[in-house]
Structure formats: structure tokens, C-alpha cells
Amino acid sequence: MVNKIALIGAGNIGSTLALLAATKNLGDCILVDVVEGVGAGKSLDLNQASCVENFTTSFSGSTDFSTIKGADVVIVTAGVPRKPGMSRDDLLAINSKIIRSVAKAIFEYCPNAFVICITNPLDAMVQLLKETANLPSNMVCGMAGILDTSRFKFFLSQELNVSVEDIQALVMGGHGDTMVPLPNYCSVSGIPLSNLIEMGMISQQKVNEIIERTKNGGAEIVNLLKTGSAFYAPASSGIAMAESFLLNKKKIFPCAVYLNGEYGVQGLYVGVPCIIGSNGIEKVIELKLTQEEKSHFMKSVNSVKQLLEAIPKSEE
């Protein structure tokens, strides 16, 4: 039986998600967008591309939420992207209203789906989605840490002049400027980053600069694009999560997941490493953090709490 992937939001990220899902043969895709013709038009374009690329994925588009019925995976990108000068906090009023309507549709049409939220501000939106849809916490998560980690890895690879494939890295915490890149858990082909600093391959100052650039990675792209935000890397990250679920790969990713006492956090979505398999979020991995890392992580947790408190109350 062919998997069904529902992509809610057919903008840059949504359409890139569809293309990547096809190249990996993960399942048929339905693109849902509130703008008339966008989902249908991009689906038609993708179907025609299949004749050239020789993938068998079927695409369809709609404005009707009922078309997501029975989806195995739902990836939510619906919402307004950041513009230059706009903080993630500024997005709360608009995107919280959108997420509430999406959550209700998921609850009605595919309550057993594995749900991945990409809409910003990420940590607050995935929490709102989970609570509104009343879905099990292991089946709802947010894409954040994979993207942040990919930025950290790329910047390190450029500075070290080594392949990104050789770099193992980890970024925890909220998806914003309080995220926590962890140099202590970074290595290159098994060689700890601290050893490379001792060898003179990279300086501590440069590592610190890369950490700061990673924290502002999204804003850097927003400022360059002027009229939009990142979409290739976010889509790649979302598909990696969907693939691990659909194929039961049990890969370890840093994701925004619901914490139930882990890391001393109760009832909150925050970015931590976890295992994704056919049962969704199968295990949260608790790392041993230094006192400084714990302090940075809790600062990020508090930032997420502040975002949640700032979400406008439902009009209903």
C-alpha cells in the first residue's frame, strides 16, 4: 500500500517537500493550500516533472482539508514566513490562528498520522498544534534541531575544509537565537572538535563565531532574500524525519519534542535528540550536559515558555 503524505501549505517549503518525497519514493503527496489554485498548480507541475525524472509519486492539490483524510504523515508549513526585521514573536498572532485551524483538520481527518510542524515560531506552534488537535505527544514533533545542526555542520566544514559528511554535531534548545549548539558533542570523523582546536585546525574564537552565526542562521537568509525565508534546508530536514518514520529507520535527530520530565522540563516542546521510528518519537535521549550547557539550555526553555505565554487566546 502506498503511503499518503499530506503537505499543509504549498509554498516554497511545501512544494520542495513534495519533490524530495518523490525523489525518495516515500509516498503520494497531497498539497493543501488556502490560496485557490496553488496546490493544484504545483501538483500538476510536479506530475509533469515525474515524466522526466521517472518517479512514480502521484501529486494532487486542493484547498479542502478533507483531502488529507487517512494521511500517514502530515507536514505543516502553513503560515506567514518571516520578513526582514520581523522576529519570530511577531509571527505569533497570525500563525497561531492558522495552526489552530490546521490542528482541528488533522484531528478530524487523520488523527493517527505522524505530524511534523515546520511553521514558525516553531516551538510554540508545535505545542499549540499538539494541544489543539489533542494528539499523542509521540506522534507530534517539530522540525528545528536538524536544520540548526545542518547549519552548524556546514559552517564548520567550510572553516575546516573537510566534507560535511565527516562532521557530527548537535544543536539543542528552542528554534531561535537562544538555541544551544554543543561543541562538546561535535566531532570530525570521530575526532573531537576540542582536539582539532588543540591541533590548530580551528581556533576557539572561530568556533564561537560559528556558534553565533548558527544561532542567526535563519535571519541571515531572510536578510539576503529580502522577500522570504529559507526553504531548501528546512524541507530536507522535514523529509529526513518523515523518512525515518515511514521506513522505521530509527534515526537519531534533534527535534522539538514533548518533554515529560527529561532534562528537568515538564510538559513543554523543546529541541533535544530523539529516536524516530514507526512509532513516532520512540525515545528522548538525555545527554549529560555541563553546568554551562545546562544554563544555556534552561535559558532557551524559558524563551519557549515566554513565546507560549504570548500566544493570543483562541476567539472561540
Side-chain angles (χ1 to χ4, degrees), residues 81-97:
R82 281 197 300 167
K83 296 180 175 65
M86 180 187 287
S87 71
R88 284 187 167 86
D89 299 27
D90 297 331
L91 300 176
L92 279 171
I94 299 173
N95 286 355
S96 60
K97 185 176 181 180

Side-chain angles (χ1 to χ4, degrees), residues 13 44 230:
I13 298 180
L44 180 58

Side-chain angles (χ1 to χ4, degrees), residues 251-310:
K251 297 194 75 170
I252 297 176
F253 292 124
C255 305
V257 297
Y258 189 81
L259 297 183
N260 191 27
E262 299 91 347
Y263 294 95
V265 178
Q266 183 69 48
L268 197 69
Y269 271 87
V270 187
V272 298
C274 64
I275 298 173
I276 297 180
S278 58
N279 293 314
I281 304 301
E282 297 191 348
K283 182 177 177 60
V284 171
I285 297 174
E286 280 196 83
L287 301 175
K288 184 177 181 180
L289 303 178
T290 66
Q291 204 58 45
E292 182 180 9
E293 290 165 345
K294 286 179 184 176
S295 176
H296 288 312
F297 180 72
M298 291 313 298
K299 179 182 177 182
S300 191
V301 168
N302 289 329
S303 178
V304 172
K305 287 180 180 178
Q306 290 171 11
L307 272 177
L308 285 169
E309 290 168 359

Side-chain angles (χ1 to χ4, degrees), residues 60-102:
S60 58
S62 179
T63 57
D64 185 355
F65 275 126
S66 68
T67 55
I68 71 173
K69 186 174 182 179
D72 299 286
V73 171
V74 178
I75 307 181
V76 182
T77 67
V80 177
R82 281 197 300 167
K83 296 180 175 65
M86 180 187 287
S87 71
R88 284 187 167 86
D89 299 27
D90 297 331
L91 300 176
L92 279 171
I94 299 173
N95 286 355
S96 60
K97 185 176 181 180
I98 293 170
I99 288 297
R100 283 190 175 101
S101 65
V102 169

Side-chain angles (χ1 to χ4, degrees), residues 99-113:
I99 288 297
R100 283 190 175 101
S101 65
V102 169
K104 291 171 183 175
I106 293 172
F107 176 77
E108 181 176 357
Y109 296 112
C110 48
N112 297 317

Side-chain angles (χ1 to χ4, degrees), residues 34-291:
V34 294
V35 179
E36 187 72 40
V38 171
K42 292 192 175 181
S43 294
L44 180 58
D45 194 11
L46 285 161
N47 278 322
Q48 292 167 356
S50 70
C51 301
V52 181
E53 297 294 338
N54 294 320
F55 46 69
T56 58
T57 299
S58 173
F59 302 94
S60 58
S62 179
T63 57
D64 185 355
F65 275 126
S66 68
T67 55
I68 71 173
K69 186 174 182 179
D72 299 286
V73 171
V74 178
I75 307 181
V76 182
T77 67
V80 177
R82 281 197 300 167
K83 296 180 175 65
M86 180 187 287
S87 71
R88 284 187 167 86
D89 299 27
D90 297 331
L91 300 176
L92 279 171
I94 299 173
N95 286 355
S96 60
K97 185 176 181 180
I98 293 170
I99 288 297
R100 283 190 175 101
S101 65
V102 169
K104 291 171 183 175
I106 293 172
F107 176 77
E108 181 176 357
Y109 296 112
C110 48
N112 297 317
F114 182 56
V115 182
I116 300 167
C117 182
I118 298 182
T119 302
N120 278 320
L122 189 282
D123 307 277
M125 292 301 97
V126 68
Q127 182 107 17
L128 180 63
L129 193 156
K130 187 265 180 193
E131 292 176 353
T132 305
N134 193 30
L135 300 176
S137 58
N138 65 301
M139 296 298 282
V140 184
C141 59
M143 187 292 298
I146 302 175
L147 172 61
D148 299 328
T149 298
S150 73
R151 289 169 174 162
F152 190 32
K153 290 171 68 173
F154 175 73
F155 297 148
L156 283 169
S157 74
Q158 292 294 100
E159 183 62 30
L160 290 165
N161 195 28
V162 299
S163 169
V164 291
E165 295 177 356
D166 285 340
I167 296 180
Q168 297 77 43
L170 179 63
V171 177
M172 289 176 51
H175 184 51
D177 56 13
T178 62
M179 69 179 70
V180 188
L182 297 173
N184 287 339
Y185 285 94
C186 181
S187 62
V188 179
S189 208
I191 305 169
L193 183 60
S194 57
N195 287 20
L196 297 177
I197 294 173
E198 291 173 3
M199 295 176 198
M201 288 185 65
I202 189 171
S203 68
Q204 183 62 59
Q205 180 181 347
K206 181 55 68 173
V207 171
N208 293 340
E209 291 173 1
I210 288 173
I211 287 173
E212 290 307 308
R213 189 179 181 191
T214 299
K215 290 180 179 180
N216 296 291
E220 181 178 356
I221 292 175
V222 167
N223 290 333
L224 287 168
L225 292 178
K226 303 291 191 293
T227 59
S229 55
F231 55 94
Y232 293 125
S236 293
S237 302
I239 285 297
M241 296 165 70
E243 182 180 35
S244 193
F245 168 76
L246 290 170
L247 303 184
N248 195 27
K249 284 196 164 187
K250 300 187 184 296
K251 297 194 75 170
I252 297 176
F253 292 124
C255 305
V257 297
Y258 189 81
L259 297 183
N260 191 27
E262 299 91 347
Y263 294 95
V265 178
Q266 183 69 48
L268 197 69
Y269 271 87
V270 187
V272 298
C274 64
I275 298 173
I276 297 180
S278 58
N279 293 314
I281 304 301
E282 297 191 348
K283 182 177 177 60
V284 171
I285 297 174
E286 280 196 83
L287 301 175
K288 184 177 181 180
L289 303 178
T290 66
Q291 204 58 45

